[in-house]
């Protein structure tokens, strides 16, 4: 726990539907380094608006956002790089585009919030499992939060310190627990059978396992029920009234288990930080009871789940500092090390899902923008009814009328939509269109339904260069699974 960043010291279809049939230029290069005119934001914006925007963001204590659109020319940029230039320079297929500096800024917001506390920032790999992103977060000082054996293997491949990793989940497999025990990973106890499997894994590995009890505090996070994990109806965690049974079982296995902490996780997309405080009050009371029985409890893990501004409507949402400040005094009063498990709030707003418009149509009742991306690459709107902001990457055609559209993909499902009832200028064929805030639970949940291959991923680096960080899957990749059978 010595890493400086890791342990903080402390309508009707408009006339403009008839669009030009020209196709976008396509260059063979997979690495795009723009000319200086497109490299820096200052080349296309006056200094005053930039300074004003930065001051406003600081005043509101918000994240600086990497994707911006200038009123001067109407082009969407990522860290000063025109998204249209990236589209024109890579393979003609949907792709994810990230800002590497935004990932750093998001991490720094947590790191700064934790100054004065002993802490572990454990990135939730389930949010986005791109290896290059994991390596970057590890270099910044993150630990890792794992919910499968393969996520543990990937964390090790990315170079994470296993003693700064936490293995969660309600159905952890014995073979994965053996690996966790061998590597010295923290393991959360989720149920009676989970405890039994952890004991068995400790014996197989001949290692004592540091465990935390995942206690269900029955706190309503006021979010979509699919992402609520800390109430009494959740499949996660142990019931409060069973706490003594688990303590007795840990005492009965001194050679296999060392109880070092308590854990809770309330849910995801949480926008009211007082909910974290409510849970923390309950959790430190449980820790007091556990310590009274002779256990040396060092860690309080309050999970993750901080929401972001998906609507881009100027909402002032809680920051990492707001979250940490709600629990700071409780943590200090008990001399605890705080574990926090951000996923979405570290990675979601660093990325756009970039598509091209295939065409525009109407069924007489609704208008549709049909794009080459789909629910296969980005399922949150279909799965949760989630909203993600959508916009065109370039100025619309001069005669383009604004209308209301459903933005849909080519997958053979009525559920295949990226956004409903969106007001957009009618786009021309081949126009670029992005779905914002696609860094979390988008690529990591992508599928090959309808044999749509998972897309490539790129990021803009600190110097403005664009680099591929994951190859796109191909038809040949799919066929390879059947070779030799």
């Amino acid at each position: 726990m010595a890493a400086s960043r890791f342990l903080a010291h402390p309508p009707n279809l408009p006339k403009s539907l008839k669009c030009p049939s020209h196709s976008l230029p396509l260059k063979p290069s997979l690495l795009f380094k723009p000319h200086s005119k497109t490299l820096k934001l200052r080349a296309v914006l006056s200094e005053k608006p930039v300074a004003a925007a930065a001051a406003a963001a600081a005043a509101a204590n918000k994240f600086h956002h990497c994707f911006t659109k200038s009123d001067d020319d109407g082009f969407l940029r990522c860290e000063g790089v025109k998204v249209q230039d990236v589209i024109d320079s890579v393979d003609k297929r949907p792709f994810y585009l990230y800002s590497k500096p935004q990932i750093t800024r998001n991490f720094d917001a947590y790191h700064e919030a934790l100054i004065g506390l002993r802490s572990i920032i454990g990135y939730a790999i389930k949010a986005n499992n791109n290896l290059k992103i994991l390596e970057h977060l590890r270099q910044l000082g993150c630990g890792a939060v794992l919910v499968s054996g393969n996520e543990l293997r990937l964390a090790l491949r990315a170079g994470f310190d296993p003693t700064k990793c936490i293995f969660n989940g309600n159905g952890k497999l014995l073979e994965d627990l053996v690996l966790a025990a061998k590597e010295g990973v923290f393991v959360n106890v989720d149920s009676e059978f989970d405890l039994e499997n952890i004991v068995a894994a400790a014996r197989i590995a001949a290692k004592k396992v540091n465990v935390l009890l995942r206690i269900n505090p029955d706190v309503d996070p006021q979010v979509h029920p699919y992402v609520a994990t800390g109430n009494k109806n959740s499949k996660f965690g142990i019931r409060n009234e069973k706490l003594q049974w688990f303590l007795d079982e840990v005492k009965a296995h001194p050679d296999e288990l060392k109880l070092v902490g308590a854990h809770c996780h309330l849910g995801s997309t949480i926008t009211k930080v007082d909910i974290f405080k409510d849970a923390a009050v309950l959790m430190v009371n449980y820790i007091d009871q556990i310590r009274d029985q002779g256990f040396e409890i060092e860690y309080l893990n309050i999970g993750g789940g901080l929401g972001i501004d998906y609507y881009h409507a100027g909402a002032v949402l809680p920051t990492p500092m707001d979250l940490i400040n709600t629990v700071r005094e409780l943590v200090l009063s008990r001399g605890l090390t705080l574990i926090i498990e951000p996923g979405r709030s570290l990675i979601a707003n660093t990325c756009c899902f970039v598509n091209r418009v295939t065409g525009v149509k109407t069924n007489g009742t609704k208008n549709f923008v049909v794009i080459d991306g789909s629910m296969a690459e980005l399922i949150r709107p279909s799965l949760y009814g989630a909203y993600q902001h959508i916009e065109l990457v370039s100025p619309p055609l001069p005669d383009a009328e604004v209308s209301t559209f459903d933005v849909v993909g080519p997958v053979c499902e009525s559920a295949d939509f990226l956004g409903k009832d969106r007001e957009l200028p009618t786009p021309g064929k081949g126009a670029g269109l992005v779905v914002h805030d696609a860094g979390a639970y988008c690529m990591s949940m992508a599928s090959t339904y309808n044999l749509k291959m998972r897309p490539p991923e790129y990021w803009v680096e600190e110097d403005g260069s664009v680099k591929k960080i994951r190859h796109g899957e191909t038809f040949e990749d799919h066929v390879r699974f059947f070779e030799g059978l």
Side-chain angles (χ1 to χ4, degrees):
M1 302 179 63
S4 61
R5 280 185 178 269
F6 194 88
L7 179 60
H9 42 256
N12 289 328
L13 210 57
K15 295 177 183 178
S16 56
L17 173 58
K18 294 181 180 180
C19 47
S21 59
H22 64 273
S23 60
L24 293 175
L26 181 64
K27 301 175 185 177
S29 172
L30 293 178
L31 296 184
F32 170 64
K33 188 157 184 174
H35 296 295
S36 59
K37 288 185 178 180
T38 61
L39 177 58
K40 299 297 182 183
L41 192 60
R42 70 174 72 96
V44 294
L45 294 177
S46 66
E47 292 182 3
K48 287 184 179 179
V50 173
N61 199 22
K62 293 181 182 179
F63 289 129
H64 166 72
H65 204 282
C66 52
F67 288 94
T68 57
K69 183 175 279 190
S70 165
D71 291 335
D72 292 350
D73 64 8
F75 283 96
L76 183 69
R77 288 174 166 80
C78 178
E79 303 292 349
V81 177
K82 283 185 180 180
V83 176
Q84 185 63 58
D85 287 344
V86 183
I87 291 173
D88 293 341
S89 301
V90 301
D91 291 342
K92 194 173 182 180
R93 60 185 295 183
F95 63 92
Y96 283 94
L97 179 65
Y98 299 80
S99 160
K100 187 179 180 183
Q102 183 73 50
I103 298 172
T104 302
R105 289 192 290 267
N106 289 353
F107 173 83
D108 285 345
Y110 273 102
H111 180 251
E112 291 164 10
L114 288 161
I115 290 174
L117 295 176
R118 298 194 308 272
S119 62
I120 294 174
I121 302 172
Y123 169 65
I125 289 180
K126 65 177 182 161
N128 187 309
N129 55 32
N130 183 288
L131 180 60
K132 296 300 180 182
I133 291 173
L134 297 184
E135 289 173 343
H136 180 55
L137 287 168
R138 183 261 303 164
Q139 290 167 356
L140 291 174
C142 266
V145 175
L146 326 158
V147 292
S148 73
N150 280 340
E151 286 191 353
L152 171 54
R153 294 176 184 92
L154 189 63
L156 296 173
R157 179 74 62 90
F160 284 94
D161 180 348
T163 66
K164 310 296 189 298
C165 294
I166 305 97
F167 192 9
N168 291 339
N170 69 305
K172 300 183 285 291
L173 301 179
L174 177 60
E175 55 266 35
D176 296 335
L177 286 167
V178 171
L179 176 61
K182 288 179 177 178
E183 295 292 340
V185 170
F186 290 111
V187 179
N188 278 325
V189 178
D190 189 87
S191 66
E192 292 86 347
F193 73 78
D194 195 37
L195 182 73
E196 180 182 332
N197 284 336
I198 296 168
V199 170
R203 290 171 178 167
I204 294 169
K207 286 278 195 75
K208 183 182 289 189
V209 180
N210 289 325
V211 297
L212 295 84
L213 294 179
R214 178 166 182 169
I215 302 172
N216 187 328
D218 194 18
V219 171
D220 181 10
Q222 302 175 36
V223 297
H224 191 289
Y226 286 8
V227 293
T229 59
N231 55 44
K232 64 183 179 181
N233 295 319
S234 173
K235 71 175 184 178
F236 299 102
I238 66 176
R239 304 193 310 276
N240 303 342
E241 60 267 27
K242 290 283 290 186
L243 177 58
Q244 188 60 53
W245 183 91
F246 283 92
L247 296 178
D248 291 342
E249 283 297 300
V250 172
K251 289 176 185 176
H253 297 93
D255 296 329
E256 293 87 8
L257 306 175
K258 180 180 180 182
L259 180 58
V260 297
H263 170 264
C264 69
H265 192 292
L266 304 179
S268 192
T269 68
I270 297 171
T271 58
K272 298 178 180 179
V273 292
D274 284 349
I275 293 169
F276 289 97
K277 183 174 183 179
D278 293 343
V281 168
L282 293 171
M283 294 301 295
V284 295
N285 286 334
Y286 289 130
I287 287 173
D288 290 343
Q289 296 172 39
I290 295 168
R291 282 176 166 174
D292 286 345
Q293 298 192 35
F295 292 99
E296 296 179 1
I297 301 298
E298 181 181 353
Y299 298 95
L300 170 61
N301 185 337
I302 61 168
L306 194 63
I308 68 163
D309 182 16
Y310 278 111
Y311 283 86
H312 288 212
V316 179
L317 296 180
T319 65
M321 184 69 77
D322 296 329
L323 188 162
I324 300 304
N325 281 345
T326 64
V327 302
R328 185 182 306 276
E329 293 307 317
L330 284 168
V331 172
L332 289 172
S333 70
R334 302 309 197 275
L336 294 163
T337 297
L338 181 66
I339 300 175
I340 186 80
E341 300 181 346
R344 184 189 317 273
S345 55
L346 272 180
I347 198 68
N349 71 350
T350 71
C351 175
C352 277
F353 180 45
V354 185
N355 308 266
R356 292 173 176 86
V357 173
T358 304
V360 182
K361 64 176 289 187
T362 182
N363 64 8
T365 303
K366 292 186 74 72
N367 302 323
F368 301 91
V369 173
V370 184
I371 59 175
D372 53 359
S374 72
M375 65 183 290
E377 297 92 352
L378 195 153
I379 199 174
R380 292 186 69 254
S382 299
L383 182 62
Y384 303 127
Y387 179 97
Q388 291 183 230
H389 190 62
I390 292 173
E391 66 178 325
L392 302 178
V393 306
S394 299
L397 299 171
D399 61 345
E401 296 182 22
V402 174
S403 191
T404 302
F405 296 95
D406 284 5
V407 179
V408 301
V411 162
C412 193
E413 294 282 345
S414 294
D416 180 26
F417 62 90
L418 284 300
K420 290 192 171 185
D421 298 322
R422 304 301 178 88
E423 282 197 359
L424 294 167
T426 301
K429 184 177 181 179
L433 177 149
V434 299
V435 182
H436 279 281
D437 304 308
Y441 305 104
C442 292
M443 182 60 171
S444 67
M445 299 177 76
S447 74
T448 57
Y449 187 45
N450 283 199
L451 275 186
K452 284 182 64 60
M453 298 293 105
R454 279 178 283 254
E457 295 176 284
Y458 304 86
W459 68 16
V460 178
E461 298 202 304
E462 291 82 357
D463 64 356
S465 61
V466 176
K467 183 176 293 185
K468 180 183 281 189
I469 58 173
R470 176 177 169 140
H471 295 296
E473 295 178 11
T474 66
F475 175 75
E476 288 70 27
D477 292 327
H478 176 75
V479 173
R480 196 169 296 124
F481 289 113
F482 305 96
E483 290 178 358
L485 300 179

